[in-house]
């Protein structure tokens, strides 16, 4: 989990998607974040942070997906996590890792598969649990 706090200065070009928007860059405080996703429901709150000069805190899952936004003095808003999709992805990847390992009989294939499983599934899930543990309004 990564947290960035500061005055929200600039939002780059946004690519709008059905569930996520992707900003080419976000300038917050003295940092520039590039290619950052944000759930559509949190996008309005992010834009509100741009209109105010109060410090804004962004909580990022896996370093590239904003899952919580808080403008100083206001409520913290957290995007809901889609447990069904993540559980299915975890199961598919776990079956794939064991299948590749059993076919190859090479322990390095198994270890590499477990690293990929951790990096793409477990790490974002752990990040979200940390973000959600700090509280806020989910929507």
């Amino acid at each position: 989990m990564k947290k960035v706090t500061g005055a929200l200065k600039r939002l780059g070009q946004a690519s709008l998607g059905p569930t996520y928007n992707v900003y080419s860059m976000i300038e917050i405080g003295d940092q520039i974040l590039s290619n950052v996703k944000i759930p559509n429901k949190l996008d309005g709150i992010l834009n509100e942070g741009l209109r105010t000069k109060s410090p804004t805190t962004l909580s990022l899952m896996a370093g590239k997906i904003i899952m919580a936004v808080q403008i100083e003095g206001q409520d913290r808003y957290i995007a809901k996590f889609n447990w069904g999709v993540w559980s299915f992805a975890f199961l598919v990847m776990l079956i794939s890792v064991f299948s590749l390992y059993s076919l190859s009989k090479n322990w390095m294939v198994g270890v590499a598969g477990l690293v990929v499983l951790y990096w793409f599934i477990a790490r974002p899930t752990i990040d979200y649990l940390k973000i959600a543990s700090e509280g806020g309004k989910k929507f």
Side-chain angles (χ1 to χ4, degrees):
M1 178 183 88
K2 179 179 177 181
K3 275 181 135 176
V4 182
T5 301
L8 195 57
K9 297 176 184 174
R10 189 178 327 177
L11 298 176
Q13 185 176 6
S15 301
L16 307 177
T19 54
Y20 286 95
N21 295 338
V22 180
Y23 283 97
S24 60
M25 61 84 70
I26 296 176
E27 186 175 355
I28 180 168
D30 60 349
Q31 295 185 39
I32 295 178
L33 308 172
S34 59
N35 296 321
V36 180
K37 285 183 172 184
I38 184 166
N40 291 344
K41 292 181 178 182
L42 289 181
D43 200 23
I45 298 161
L46 183 69
N47 282 299
E48 185 179 327
L50 191 59
R51 291 187 290 275
T52 181
K53 295 300 176 200
S54 298
T56 302
T57 301
L58 307 177
S59 298
L60 291 99
M61 178 177 81
K64 288 290 185 181
I65 304 171
I66 298 171
M67 292 303 284
V69 177
Q70 181 177 18
I71 300 169
E72 188 176 280
Q74 297 182 19
D75 289 328
R76 183 171 190 261
Y77 294 93
I78 305 170
K80 287 184 182 175
F81 194 70
N82 192 338
W83 289 104
V85 170
W86 283 96
S87 299
F88 180 73
F90 175 79
L91 199 61
V92 167
M93 286 188 74
L94 190 62
I95 291 168
S96 300
V97 167
F98 283 119
S99 298
L100 286 172
Y101 171 72
S102 63
L103 288 172
S104 70
K105 300 292 187 211
N106 186 344
W107 65 271
M108 288 185 66
V109 172
V111 170
L114 291 175
V115 167
V116 168
L117 182 70
Y118 169 77
W119 190 257
F120 289 107
I121 303 295
R123 184 178 65 107
T125 303
I126 292 167
D127 282 354
Y128 179 78
L129 291 172
K130 288 178 185 176
I131 291 167
S133 71
E134 295 177 0
K137 293 183 177 180
K138 291 185 181 179
F139 71 101

mmCIF file of all heavy atoms in Angstrom, residues 70-113:
data_model
loop_
_atom_site.group_PDB
_atom_site.id
_atom_site.type_symbol
_atom_site.label_atom_id
_atom_site.label_comp_id
_atom_site.label_asym_id
_atom_site.label_seq_id
_atom_site.Cartn_x
_atom_site.Cartn_y
_atom_site.Cartn_z
ATOM 1 N N GLN A 70 -9.128 11.036 0.469
ATOM 2 C CA GLN A 70 -9.588 11.862 1.577
ATOM 3 C C GLN A 70 -9.051 13.267 1.405
ATOM 4 O O GLN A 70 -7.847 13.464 1.243
ATOM 5 C CB GLN A 70 -9.138 11.307 2.926
ATOM 6 C CG GLN A 70 -9.642 12.149 4.080
ATOM 7 C CD GLN A 70 -9.278 11.574 5.432
ATOM 8 O OE1 GLN A 70 -8.385 10.739 5.540
ATOM 9 N NE2 GLN A 70 -9.970 12.017 6.457
ATOM 10 N N ILE A 71 -9.968 14.224 1.446
ATOM 11 C CA ILE A 71 -9.599 15.638 1.438
ATOM 12 C C ILE A 71 -9.601 16.070 2.899
ATOM 13 O O ILE A 71 -10.527 15.746 3.638
ATOM 14 C CB ILE A 71 -10.595 16.468 0.602
ATOM 15 C CG1 ILE A 71 -10.595 15.956 -0.846
ATOM 16 C CG2 ILE A 71 -10.239 17.941 0.659
ATOM 17 C CD1 ILE A 71 -11.701 16.509 -1.702
ATOM 18 N N GLU A 72 -8.558 16.773 3.319
ATOM 19 C CA GLU A 72 -8.419 17.140 4.728
ATOM 20 C C GLU A 72 -9.691 17.813 5.248
ATOM 21 O O GLU A 72 -10.248 18.704 4.604
ATOM 22 C CB GLU A 72 -7.233 18.076 4.915
ATOM 23 C CG GLU A 72 -6.909 18.360 6.368
ATOM 24 C CD GLU A 72 -5.672 19.199 6.500
ATOM 25 O OE1 GLU A 72 -4.571 18.627 6.408
ATOM 26 O OE2 GLU A 72 -5.811 20.417 6.690
ATOM 27 N N GLY A 73 -10.140 17.349 6.402
ATOM 28 C CA GLY A 73 -11.331 17.909 7.022
ATOM 29 C C GLY A 73 -12.624 17.280 6.528
ATOM 30 O O GLY A 73 -13.704 17.666 6.966
ATOM 31 N N GLN A 74 -12.551 16.338 5.606
ATOM 32 C CA GLN A 74 -13.737 15.682 5.074
ATOM 33 C C GLN A 74 -13.644 14.177 5.300
ATOM 34 O O GLN A 74 -12.633 13.674 5.786
ATOM 35 C CB GLN A 74 -13.892 15.974 3.576
ATOM 36 C CG GLN A 74 -14.098 17.441 3.258
ATOM 37 C CD GLN A 74 -14.300 17.668 1.774
ATOM 38 O OE1 GLN A 74 -14.630 16.757 1.028
ATOM 39 N NE2 GLN A 74 -14.099 18.901 1.342
ATOM 40 N N ASP A 75 -14.708 13.483 4.941
ATOM 41 C CA ASP A 75 -14.733 12.029 5.094
ATOM 42 C C ASP A 75 -13.745 11.360 4.143
ATOM 43 O O ASP A 75 -13.388 11.911 3.107
ATOM 44 C CB ASP A 75 -16.130 11.474 4.801
ATOM 45 C CG ASP A 75 -17.133 11.832 5.877
ATOM 46 O OD1 ASP A 75 -16.729 11.933 7.059
ATOM 47 O OD2 ASP A 75 -18.318 12.002 5.556
ATOM 48 N N ARG A 76 -13.355 10.154 4.510
ATOM 49 C CA ARG A 76 -12.497 9.316 3.666
ATOM 50 C C ARG A 76 -13.405 8.381 2.881
ATOM 51 O O ARG A 76 -14.289 7.744 3.444
ATOM 52 C CB ARG A 76 -11.555 8.515 4.559
ATOM 53 C CG ARG A 76 -10.558 7.672 3.828
ATOM 54 C CD ARG A 76 -9.562 7.115 4.858
ATOM 55 N NE ARG A 76 -8.452 6.490 4.210
ATOM 56 C CZ ARG A 76 -8.341 5.175 4.039
ATOM 57 N NH1 ARG A 76 -9.254 4.370 4.500
ATOM 58 N NH2 ARG A 76 -7.294 4.667 3.425
ATOM 59 N N TYR A 77 -13.199 8.292 1.590
ATOM 60 C CA TYR A 77 -14.028 7.447 0.729
ATOM 61 C C TYR A 77 -13.188 6.296 0.174
ATOM 62 O O TYR A 77 -12.085 6.509 -0.317
ATOM 63 C CB TYR A 77 -14.609 8.268 -0.420
ATOM 64 C CG TYR A 77 -15.593 9.313 0.066
ATOM 65 C CD1 TYR A 77 -15.176 10.604 0.340
ATOM 66 C CD2 TYR A 77 -16.928 8.986 0.271
ATOM 67 C CE1 TYR A 77 -16.058 11.565 0.804
ATOM 68 C CE2 TYR A 77 -17.821 9.933 0.733
ATOM 69 C CZ TYR A 77 -17.380 11.217 0.997
ATOM 70 O OH TYR A 77 -18.276 12.151 1.466
ATOM 71 N N ILE A 78 -13.754 5.091 0.282
ATOM 72 C CA ILE A 78 -13.066 3.881 -0.150
ATOM 73 C C ILE A 78 -13.910 3.191 -1.215
ATOM 74 O O ILE A 78 -15.119 3.049 -1.056
ATOM 75 C CB ILE A 78 -12.880 2.895 1.028
ATOM 76 C CG1 ILE A 78 -12.163 3.576 2.179
ATOM 77 C CG2 ILE A 78 -12.125 1.663 0.593
ATOM 78 C CD1 ILE A 78 -12.162 2.753 3.444
ATOM 79 N N ALA A 79 -13.271 2.751 -2.276
ATOM 80 C CA ALA A 79 -13.966 1.986 -3.315
ATOM 81 C C ALA A 79 -14.192 0.567 -2.811
ATOM 82 O O ALA A 79 -13.368 0.015 -2.093
ATOM 83 C CB ALA A 79 -13.145 1.967 -4.595
ATOM 84 N N LYS A 80 -15.301 -0.024 -3.185
ATOM 85 C CA LYS A 80 -15.579 -1.409 -2.812
ATOM 86 C C LYS A 80 -14.683 -2.338 -3.619
ATOM 87 O O LYS A 80 -14.372 -2.090 -4.769
ATOM 88 C CB LYS A 80 -17.043 -1.756 -3.066
ATOM 89 C CG LYS A 80 -17.985 -1.125 -2.081
ATOM 90 C CD LYS A 80 -19.407 -1.572 -2.328
ATOM 91 C CE LYS A 80 -20.348 -0.902 -1.361
ATOM 92 N NZ LYS A 80 -21.745 -1.222 -1.649
ATOM 93 N N PHE A 81 -14.304 -3.409 -2.989
ATOM 94 C CA PHE A 81 -13.432 -4.403 -3.595
ATOM 95 C C PHE A 81 -14.297 -5.530 -4.138
ATOM 96 O O PHE A 81 -15.201 -6.006 -3.452
ATOM 97 C CB PHE A 81 -12.477 -4.942 -2.512
ATOM 98 C CG PHE A 81 -11.313 -5.724 -3.044
ATOM 99 C CD1 PHE A 81 -10.300 -5.105 -3.731
ATOM 100 C CD2 PHE A 81 -11.228 -7.080 -2.818
ATOM 101 C CE1 PHE A 81 -9.202 -5.819 -4.189
ATOM 102 C CE2 PHE A 81 -10.139 -7.807 -3.270
ATOM 103 C CZ PHE A 81 -9.126 -7.174 -3.956
ATOM 104 N N ASN A 82 -14.042 -5.959 -5.353
ATOM 105 C CA ASN A 82 -14.834 -7.024 -5.964
ATOM 106 C C ASN A 82 -14.224 -8.377 -5.593
ATOM 107 O O ASN A 82 -13.365 -8.909 -6.298
ATOM 108 C CB ASN A 82 -14.879 -6.839 -7.482
ATOM 109 C CG ASN A 82 -15.893 -7.728 -8.133
ATOM 110 O OD1 ASN A 82 -16.291 -8.757 -7.577
ATOM 111 N ND2 ASN A 82 -16.339 -7.335 -9.306
ATOM 112 N N TRP A 83 -14.663 -8.926 -4.465
ATOM 113 C CA TRP A 83 -14.098 -10.169 -3.957
ATOM 114 C C TRP A 83 -14.333 -11.344 -4.893
ATOM 115 O O TRP A 83 -13.501 -12.236 -4.997
ATOM 116 C CB TRP A 83 -14.652 -10.479 -2.567
ATOM 117 C CG TRP A 83 -14.121 -9.543 -1.545
ATOM 118 C CD1 TRP A 83 -14.789 -8.492 -0.978
ATOM 119 C CD2 TRP A 83 -12.811 -9.510 -0.996
ATOM 120 N NE1 TRP A 83 -13.972 -7.815 -0.106
ATOM 121 C CE2 TRP A 83 -12.745 -8.431 -0.097
ATOM 122 C CE3 TRP A 83 -11.677 -10.285 -1.182
ATOM 123 C CZ2 TRP A 83 -11.600 -8.113 0.617
ATOM 124 C CZ3 TRP A 83 -10.530 -9.977 -0.458
ATOM 125 C CH2 TRP A 83 -10.496 -8.905 0.419
ATOM 126 N N GLY A 84 -15.465 -11.361 -5.591
ATOM 127 C CA GLY A 84 -15.765 -12.472 -6.499
ATOM 128 C C GLY A 84 -14.749 -12.596 -7.622
ATOM 129 O O GLY A 84 -14.234 -13.677 -7.906
ATOM 130 N N VAL A 85 -14.443 -11.485 -8.254
ATOM 131 C CA VAL A 85 -13.485 -11.483 -9.367
ATOM 132 C C VAL A 85 -12.098 -11.880 -8.872
ATOM 133 O O VAL A 85 -11.410 -12.695 -9.493
ATOM 134 C CB VAL A 85 -13.452 -10.090 -10.042
ATOM 135 C CG1 VAL A 85 -12.296 -9.985 -11.020
ATOM 136 C CG2 VAL A 85 -14.768 -9.816 -10.742
ATOM 137 N N TRP A 86 -11.657 -11.312 -7.740
ATOM 138 C CA TRP A 86 -10.330 -11.617 -7.218
ATOM 139 C C TRP A 86 -10.234 -13.069 -6.778
ATOM 140 O O TRP A 86 -9.199 -13.714 -6.966
ATOM 141 C CB TRP A 86 -9.970 -10.674 -6.077
ATOM 142 C CG TRP A 86 -9.584 -9.334 -6.599
ATOM 143 C CD1 TRP A 86 -10.385 -8.247 -6.717
ATOM 144 C CD2 TRP A 86 -8.327 -8.946 -7.134
ATOM 145 N NE1 TRP A 86 -9.693 -7.199 -7.281
ATOM 146 C CE2 TRP A 86 -8.426 -7.608 -7.544
ATOM 147 C CE3 TRP A 86 -7.120 -9.608 -7.296
ATOM 148 C CZ2 TRP A 86 -7.360 -6.909 -8.101
ATOM 149 C CZ3 TRP A 86 -6.060 -8.902 -7.852
ATOM 150 C CH2 TRP A 86 -6.184 -7.572 -8.248
ATOM 151 N N SER A 87 -11.290 -13.599 -6.175
ATOM 152 C CA SER A 87 -11.272 -15.003 -5.751
ATOM 153 C C SER A 87 -11.169 -15.932 -6.960
ATOM 154 O O SER A 87 -10.417 -16.908 -6.945
ATOM 155 C CB SER A 87 -12.529 -15.336 -4.955
ATOM 156 O OG SER A 87 -12.600 -14.540 -3.805
ATOM 157 N N PHE A 88 -11.930 -15.611 -8.003
ATOM 158 C CA PHE A 88 -11.880 -16.419 -9.224
ATOM 159 C C PHE A 88 -10.495 -16.355 -9.857
ATOM 160 O O PHE A 88 -9.926 -17.375 -10.259
ATOM 161 C CB PHE A 88 -12.956 -15.942 -10.212
ATOM 162 C CG PHE A 88 -12.968 -16.716 -11.494
ATOM 163 C CD1 PHE A 88 -13.451 -18.012 -11.532
ATOM 164 C CD2 PHE A 88 -12.479 -16.149 -12.665
ATOM 165 C CE1 PHE A 88 -13.452 -18.738 -12.713
ATOM 166 C CE2 PHE A 88 -12.472 -16.869 -13.853
ATOM 167 C CZ PHE A 88 -12.966 -18.160 -13.876
ATOM 168 N N ALA A 89 -9.921 -15.153 -9.921
ATOM 169 C CA ALA A 89 -8.578 -14.990 -10.500
ATOM 170 C C ALA A 89 -7.545 -15.762 -9.683
ATOM 171 O O ALA A 89 -6.654 -16.413 -10.250
ATOM 172 C CB ALA A 89 -8.211 -13.512 -10.565
ATOM 173 N N PHE A 90 -7.668 -15.712 -8.369
ATOM 174 C CA PHE A 90 -6.747 -16.453 -7.502
ATOM 175 C C PHE A 90 -6.842 -17.951 -7.768
ATOM 176 O O PHE A 90 -5.834 -18.637 -7.917
ATOM 177 C CB PHE A 90 -7.055 -16.158 -6.026
ATOM 178 C CG PHE A 90 -6.234 -16.961 -5.073
ATOM 179 C CD1 PHE A 90 -4.921 -16.598 -4.808
ATOM 180 C CD2 PHE A 90 -6.751 -18.079 -4.451
ATOM 181 C CE1 PHE A 90 -4.135 -17.340 -3.937
ATOM 182 C CE2 PHE A 90 -5.986 -18.827 -3.574
ATOM 183 C CZ PHE A 90 -4.678 -18.455 -3.308
ATOM 184 N N LEU A 91 -8.053 -18.448 -7.859
ATOM 185 C CA LEU A 91 -8.271 -19.875 -8.087
ATOM 186 C C LEU A 91 -7.709 -20.308 -9.438
ATOM 187 O O LEU A 91 -7.020 -21.333 -9.538
ATOM 188 C CB LEU A 91 -9.768 -20.185 -8.011
ATOM 189 C CG LEU A 91 -10.160 -21.619 -7.774
ATOM 190 C CD1 LEU A 91 -9.618 -22.095 -6.444
ATOM 191 C CD2 LEU A 91 -11.667 -21.751 -7.783
ATOM 192 N N VAL A 92 -7.969 -19.534 -10.480
ATOM 193 C CA VAL A 92 -7.469 -19.862 -11.822
ATOM 194 C C VAL A 92 -5.940 -19.862 -11.836
ATOM 195 O O VAL A 92 -5.313 -20.781 -12.375
ATOM 196 C CB VAL A 92 -8.037 -18.877 -12.876
ATOM 197 C CG1 VAL A 92 -7.304 -18.997 -14.198
ATOM 198 C CG2 VAL A 92 -9.526 -19.112 -13.067
ATOM 199 N N MET A 93 -5.342 -18.858 -11.222
ATOM 200 C CA MET A 93 -3.878 -18.796 -11.215
ATOM 201 C C MET A 93 -3.275 -19.927 -10.386
ATOM 202 O O MET A 93 -2.259 -20.502 -10.767
ATOM 203 C CB MET A 93 -3.402 -17.438 -10.703
ATOM 204 C CG MET A 93 -3.606 -16.335 -11.727
ATOM 205 S SD MET A 93 -2.857 -14.789 -11.247
ATOM 206 C CE MET A 93 -1.135 -15.148 -11.519
ATOM 207 N N LEU A 94 -3.904 -20.259 -9.258
ATOM 208 C CA LEU A 94 -3.398 -21.340 -8.423
ATOM 209 C C LEU A 94 -3.453 -22.675 -9.164
ATOM 210 O O LEU A 94 -2.489 -23.445 -9.158
ATOM 211 C CB LEU A 94 -4.201 -21.422 -7.125
ATOM 212 C CG LEU A 94 -3.662 -22.329 -6.036
ATOM 213 C CD1 LEU A 94 -2.287 -21.852 -5.586
ATOM 214 C CD2 LEU A 94 -4.629 -22.373 -4.871
ATOM 215 N N ILE A 95 -4.556 -22.932 -9.850
ATOM 216 C CA ILE A 95 -4.679 -24.165 -10.644
ATOM 217 C C ILE A 95 -3.642 -24.178 -11.766
ATOM 218 O O ILE A 95 -3.015 -25.208 -12.038
ATOM 219 C CB ILE A 95 -6.114 -24.318 -11.191
ATOM 220 C CG1 ILE A 95 -7.074 -24.613 -10.041
ATOM 221 C CG2 ILE A 95 -6.189 -25.409 -12.249
ATOM 222 C CD1 ILE A 95 -8.546 -24.511 -10.403
ATOM 223 N N SER A 96 -3.427 -23.037 -12.395
ATOM 224 C CA SER A 96 -2.433 -22.951 -13.468
ATOM 225 C C SER A 96 -1.027 -23.233 -12.952
ATOM 226 O O SER A 96 -0.254 -23.948 -13.591
ATOM 227 C CB SER A 96 -2.466 -21.559 -14.112
ATOM 228 O OG SER A 96 -3.721 -21.298 -14.659
ATOM 229 N N VAL A 97 -0.698 -22.680 -11.798
ATOM 230 C CA VAL A 97 0.637 -22.898 -11.221
ATOM 231 C C VAL A 97 0.844 -24.382 -10.927
ATOM 232 O O VAL A 97 1.873 -24.963 -11.287
ATOM 233 C CB VAL A 97 0.819 -22.054 -9.931
ATOM 234 C CG1 VAL A 97 2.040 -22.506 -9.148
ATOM 235 C CG2 VAL A 97 0.930 -20.582 -10.282
ATOM 236 N N PHE A 98 -0.130 -25.018 -10.279
ATOM 237 C CA PHE A 98 0.016 -26.436 -9.959
ATOM 238 C C PHE A 98 0.041 -27.309 -11.215
ATOM 239 O O PHE A 98 0.763 -28.300 -11.278
ATOM 240 C CB PHE A 98 -1.078 -26.904 -8.992
ATOM 241 C CG PHE A 98 -0.809 -26.481 -7.584
ATOM 242 C CD1 PHE A 98 -1.694 -25.656 -6.922
ATOM 243 C CD2 PHE A 98 0.341 -26.886 -6.924
ATOM 244 C CE1 PHE A 98 -1.447 -25.260 -5.620
ATOM 245 C CE2 PHE A 98 0.606 -26.495 -5.618
ATOM 246 C CZ PHE A 98 -0.301 -25.681 -4.966
ATOM 247 N N SER A 99 -0.721 -26.926 -12.228
ATOM 248 C CA SER A 99 -0.713 -27.681 -13.483
ATOM 249 C C SER A 99 0.645 -27.581 -14.172
ATOM 250 O O SER A 99 1.197 -28.590 -14.625
ATOM 251 C CB SER A 99 -1.802 -27.171 -14.422
ATOM 252 O OG SER A 99 -3.065 -27.353 -13.855
ATOM 253 N N LEU A 100 1.174 -26.369 -14.254
ATOM 254 C CA LEU A 100 2.488 -26.188 -14.885
ATOM 255 C C LEU A 100 3.573 -26.928 -14.117
ATOM 256 O O LEU A 100 4.454 -27.547 -14.702
ATOM 257 C CB LEU A 100 2.831 -24.697 -14.976
ATOM 258 C CG LEU A 100 2.076 -23.905 -16.024
ATOM 259 C CD1 LEU A 100 2.363 -22.419 -15.874
ATOM 260 C CD2 LEU A 100 2.453 -24.380 -17.418
ATOM 261 N N TYR A 101 3.500 -26.867 -12.803
ATOM 262 C CA TYR A 101 4.492 -27.564 -11.988
ATOM 263 C C TYR A 101 4.401 -29.082 -12.186
ATOM 264 O O TYR A 101 5.408 -29.748 -12.374
ATOM 265 C CB TYR A 101 4.328 -27.217 -10.514
ATOM 266 C CG TYR A 101 5.191 -28.069 -9.617
ATOM 267 C CD1 TYR A 101 6.577 -27.879 -9.591
ATOM 268 C CD2 TYR A 101 4.646 -29.087 -8.851
ATOM 269 C CE1 TYR A 101 7.388 -28.679 -8.796
ATOM 270 C CE2 TYR A 101 5.445 -29.885 -8.053
ATOM 271 C CZ TYR A 101 6.807 -29.674 -8.031
ATOM 272 O OH TYR A 101 7.610 -30.466 -7.254
ATOM 273 N N SER A 102 3.185 -29.605 -12.165
ATOM 274 C CA SER A 102 3.035 -31.062 -12.293
ATOM 275 C C SER A 102 3.432 -31.550 -13.691
ATOM 276 O O SER A 102 3.928 -32.659 -13.841
ATOM 277 C CB SER A 102 1.616 -31.504 -11.959
ATOM 278 O OG SER A 102 0.700 -30.952 -12.861
ATOM 279 N N LEU A 103 3.226 -30.718 -14.708
ATOM 280 C CA LEU A 103 3.636 -31.098 -16.061
ATOM 281 C C LEU A 103 5.153 -31.029 -16.242
ATOM 282 O O LEU A 103 5.741 -31.876 -16.907
ATOM 283 C CB LEU A 103 2.950 -30.200 -17.089
ATOM 284 C CG LEU A 103 1.450 -30.428 -17.287
ATOM 285 C CD1 LEU A 103 0.877 -29.350 -18.190
ATOM 286 C CD2 LEU A 103 1.195 -31.806 -17.868
ATOM 287 N N SER A 104 5.766 -30.038 -15.650
ATOM 288 C CA SER A 104 7.197 -29.844 -15.866
ATOM 289 C C SER A 104 8.065 -30.591 -14.859
ATOM 290 O O SER A 104 9.219 -30.877 -15.145
ATOM 291 C CB SER A 104 7.536 -28.356 -15.809
ATOM 292 O OG SER A 104 7.395 -27.882 -14.484
ATOM 293 N N LYS A 105 7.537 -30.844 -13.670
ATOM 294 C CA LYS A 105 8.292 -31.475 -12.580
ATOM 295 C C LYS A 105 9.550 -30.679 -12.233
ATOM 296 O O LYS A 105 10.552 -31.222 -11.808
ATOM 297 C CB LYS A 105 8.679 -32.927 -12.916
ATOM 298 C CG LYS A 105 7.515 -33.828 -13.166
ATOM 299 C CD LYS A 105 6.727 -34.044 -11.895
ATOM 300 C CE LYS A 105 5.659 -35.092 -12.157
ATOM 301 N NZ LYS A 105 4.480 -34.911 -11.380
ATOM 302 N N ASN A 106 9.478 -29.389 -12.454
ATOM 303 C CA ASN A 106 10.594 -28.495 -12.176
ATOM 304 C C ASN A 106 10.163 -27.538 -11.065
ATOM 305 O O ASN A 106 9.211 -26.781 -11.235
ATOM 306 C CB ASN A 106 10.971 -27.734 -13.447
ATOM 307 C CG ASN A 106 12.216 -26.886 -13.272
ATOM 308 O OD1 ASN A 106 12.643 -26.613 -12.165
ATOM 309 N ND2 ASN A 106 12.784 -26.479 -14.395
ATOM 310 N N TRP A 107 10.868 -27.542 -9.959
ATOM 311 C CA TRP A 107 10.476 -26.709 -8.827
ATOM 312 C C TRP A 107 10.573 -25.220 -9.144
ATOM 313 O O TRP A 107 9.850 -24.418 -8.576
ATOM 314 C CB TRP A 107 11.302 -27.050 -7.583
ATOM 315 C CG TRP A 107 12.763 -26.742 -7.712
ATOM 316 C CD1 TRP A 107 13.736 -27.553 -8.191
ATOM 317 C CD2 TRP A 107 13.397 -25.516 -7.377
ATOM 318 N NE1 TRP A 107 14.945 -26.920 -8.176
ATOM 319 C CE2 TRP A 107 14.777 -25.655 -7.672
ATOM 320 C CE3 TRP A 107 12.952 -24.315 -6.863
ATOM 321 C CZ2 TRP A 107 15.689 -24.636 -7.462
ATOM 322 C CZ3 TRP A 107 13.874 -23.291 -6.648
ATOM 323 C CH2 TRP A 107 15.224 -23.460 -6.948
ATOM 324 N N MET A 108 11.442 -24.849 -10.082
ATOM 325 C CA MET A 108 11.571 -23.425 -10.440
ATOM 326 C C MET A 108 10.298 -22.904 -11.108
ATOM 327 O O MET A 108 9.931 -21.753 -10.919
ATOM 328 C CB MET A 108 12.787 -23.208 -11.336
ATOM 329 C CG MET A 108 14.086 -23.349 -10.572
ATOM 330 S SD MET A 108 15.534 -22.972 -11.542
ATOM 331 C CE MET A 108 15.323 -21.248 -11.834
ATOM 332 N N VAL A 109 9.624 -23.748 -11.866
ATOM 333 C CA VAL A 109 8.357 -23.360 -12.495
ATOM 334 C C VAL A 109 7.326 -23.087 -11.407
ATOM 335 O O VAL A 109 6.570 -22.108 -11.464
ATOM 336 C CB VAL A 109 7.860 -24.447 -13.474
ATOM 337 C CG1 VAL A 109 6.460 -24.139 -13.968
ATOM 338 C CG2 VAL A 109 8.823 -24.580 -14.634
ATOM 339 N N GLY A 110 7.293 -23.951 -10.392
ATOM 340 C CA GLY A 110 6.366 -23.757 -9.286
ATOM 341 C C GLY A 110 6.638 -22.484 -8.508
ATOM 342 O O GLY A 110 5.727 -21.731 -8.177
ATOM 343 N N VAL A 111 7.911 -22.230 -8.226
ATOM 344 C CA VAL A 111 8.288 -21.016 -7.488
ATOM 345 C C VAL A 111 7.955 -19.773 -8.313
ATOM 346 O O VAL A 111 7.407 -18.798 -7.797
ATOM 347 C CB VAL A 111 9.788 -21.045 -7.105
ATOM 348 C CG1 VAL A 111 10.242 -19.700 -6.568
ATOM 349 C CG2 VAL A 111 10.042 -22.142 -6.091
ATOM 350 N N ALA A 112 8.277 -19.800 -9.595
ATOM 351 C CA ALA A 112 7.967 -18.655 -10.465
ATOM 352 C C ALA A 112 6.458 -18.412 -10.505
ATOM 353 O O ALA A 112 6.002 -17.268 -10.450
ATOM 354 C CB ALA A 112 8.508 -18.899 -11.866
ATOM 355 N N GLY A 113 5.682 -19.477 -10.573
ATOM 356 C CA GLY A 113 4.224 -19.339 -10.576
ATOM 357 C C GLY A 113 3.703 -18.747 -9.284
ATOM 358 O O GLY A 113 2.802 -17.906 -9.288
#
